Amino acid sequence: MVDNVTGPGEWRGWRAATQAALYGVDGAGGFYRRSEGPAGHFRTSVHASPLFAEAVARLLCRVDEALGRPSSLDFVDMAAGRGELVTGVLAALPAEVASRTRACAVDIADRPAGLARRIEWLPEPPRQVTGLLFANEWLDNVPVEVAEVDSAGVARLVLVRDTGAERLGERVSGAETEWLARWWPMAEEEGLRAEIGLPRDTAWASAVSCVEGGLAVAVDYAHTADARPPFGTLTGFLEGRETAPVPDGSCDITAHVALDACAEAGMAAAKDAARALVDARLLTQRAALRALGLTGARPPLALASTNPTAYVRALAGAGEAAELTAPGGLGDFGWLLQPVGIPDPLAPEPRPRAD
């Protein structure tokens, strides 16, 4: 239910309010420009374990093979934070692959102190990428409008002040109405909510269009058309805890991603450039990481007696892998894979026919 309590600040849609709160106005201020970076407020797969970067490095090697080992191989880390993932991927690559890899970190924040000089720090992705473009928890922070059904059964935009107070604005119209009808149909029941993911579709299509050959991957909190949350997912995070989404720059503001809608937009971008050999694919992080060799299996107990140090190390790794693939946790994240000019590098190998 929308709160009509008054407060300071202008009424505006959640998209404009979130944009200012997270990224600032005219390049100044904003939650994501703060010195502590995202890791100061929430824990992503990148921060949970170096095994995640190692798995992404293996994926980059598969893309490299599919591309025929080009002389220059790109790795683009979207929403790079403080460069944790790109640094981990470079460290995990075989020396021969690392020597050919051009590493690019894309973020609106200033370049972190101490980041390896070989890593390019960019405000947007390169226009011609041959390799792997990897967007870990990027799309959930692309701001979107929020719609709510009023007492007459009409979907209206939700307006918000910087205190977090809300009221309903004008009815949803135009391309946003079309998006809702296609991707998030709303019953005429007062109080139902949806996040209009059109800006995320556009952002993902733009990212895919940069890939000349290789793979684009988006990893995020996600839902699909068969299981949209009836009251939306808009929320905030501050110092590791979920909190009310107040758009004053004090906290992260996020909402889960309709990755199926993004997939269609990415396919259209690749097909427009005649570069899509296979369709985009959605899978869970659990399935993706297992396809990359991360299982979370416990080491055999016999190892404890023959090599206790190796056993403890393997046990710790198994615990980290289990967290990355856990049902109800990080393992339920969605992975959107968009191959561009190559086969799907995570597709199961065909089984031999039984004669």
Side-chain angles (χ1 to χ4, degrees):
M1 179 67 67
V2 168
D3 183 359
N4 286 303
V5 175
T6 59
E10 63 177 315
W11 292 108
R12 51 186 172 174
W14 268 105
R15 184 182 180 191
T18 302
Q19 181 71 30
L22 295 185
Y23 307 114
V25 179
D26 297 327
F31 179 81
Y32 275 108
R33 297 183 187 275
R34 288 161 56 164
S35 60
E36 72 271 19
H41 297 277
F42 51 86
R43 189 165 180 256
T44 71
S45 297
V46 178
H47 308 121
S49 171
L51 295 176
F52 188 79
E54 292 169 12
V56 175
R58 288 194 291 274
L59 179 58
L60 179 58
C61 288
R62 292 192 187 186
V63 172
D64 182 44
E65 290 285 343
L67 290 168
R69 299 183 180 180
S71 58
S72 179
L73 177 70
D74 295 318
F75 177 69
V76 179
D77 180 10
M78 297 291 295
R82 296 301 178 263
E84 299 96 335
L85 178 60
V86 64
T87 298
V89 167
L90 283 175
L93 287 173
E96 190 278 327
V97 178
S99 69
R100 292 186 285 110
T101 298
R102 174 196 179 198
C104 302
V106 179
D107 206 283
I108 55 92
D110 292 336
R111 182 186 182 93
L115 189 71
R117 294 181 61 183
R118 65 168 296 185
I119 299 173
E120 297 181 41
W121 192 262
L122 306 170
E124 56 186 29
R127 295 307 305 169
Q128 294 183 320
V129 174
T130 300
L132 175 60
L133 181 146
F134 200 88
N136 186 60
E137 296 195 44
W138 167 49
L139 290 174
D140 68 299
N141 286 128
V142 173
V144 294
E145 298 290 6
V146 177
E148 181 174 320
V149 178
D150 68 10
S151 59
V154 175
R156 296 186 177 277
L157 294 177
V158 177
L159 306 182
V160 64
R161 280 180 164 162
D162 58 12
T163 60
E166 295 180 331
R167 70 173 175 84
L168 295 184
E170 62 187 21
R171 69 187 299 157
V172 180
S173 62
E176 292 174 336
T177 298
E178 295 173 6
W179 190 93
L180 284 176
R182 170 71 176 88
W183 293 109
W184 199 327
M186 304 174 73
E188 297 180 1
E189 180 181 337
E190 185 178 6
L192 294 181
R193 282 197 172 204
E195 290 111 22
I196 305 173
L198 191 59
R200 294 167 172 179
D201 298 354
T202 302
W204 181 243
S206 178
V208 171
S209 71
C210 295
V211 182
E212 292 289 316
L215 180 69
V217 178
V219 181
D220 238 310
Y221 297 99
H223 46 63
T224 52
D226 58 346
R228 301 286 189 224
F231 302 105
T233 61
L234 188 72
T235 192
F237 281 93
L238 179 65
E239 297 178 351
R241 296 184 179 181
E242 191 168 4
T243 187
V246 178
D248 61 358
S250 66
C251 66
D252 182 32
I253 298 174
T254 180
H256 293 199
V257 182
L259 275 183
D260 47 354
C262 294
E264 184 171 286
M267 281 297 300
K271 285 183 176 178
D272 283 348
R275 293 174 299 182
L277 294 183
V278 295
D279 287 344
R281 187 160 66 103
L282 296 175
L283 63 165
T284 64
Q285 174 156 298
R286 183 166 51 259
L289 292 182
R290 285 178 175 172
L292 290 166
L294 203 64
T295 65
R298 292 173 62 91
L301 283 174
L303 185 63
S305 56
T306 59
N307 191 336
T309 301
Y311 177 78
V312 171
R313 187 164 51 246
L315 191 62
E320 293 176 4
E323 181 184 2
L324 290 171
T325 58
L330 295 174
D332 289 345
F333 269 54
W335 279 47
L336 165 56
L337 277 68
Q338 175 59 70
V340 180
I342 64 171
D344 183 344
L346 290 188
E349 300 220 358
R351 296 181 180 180
R353 288 178 55 186
D355 294 329

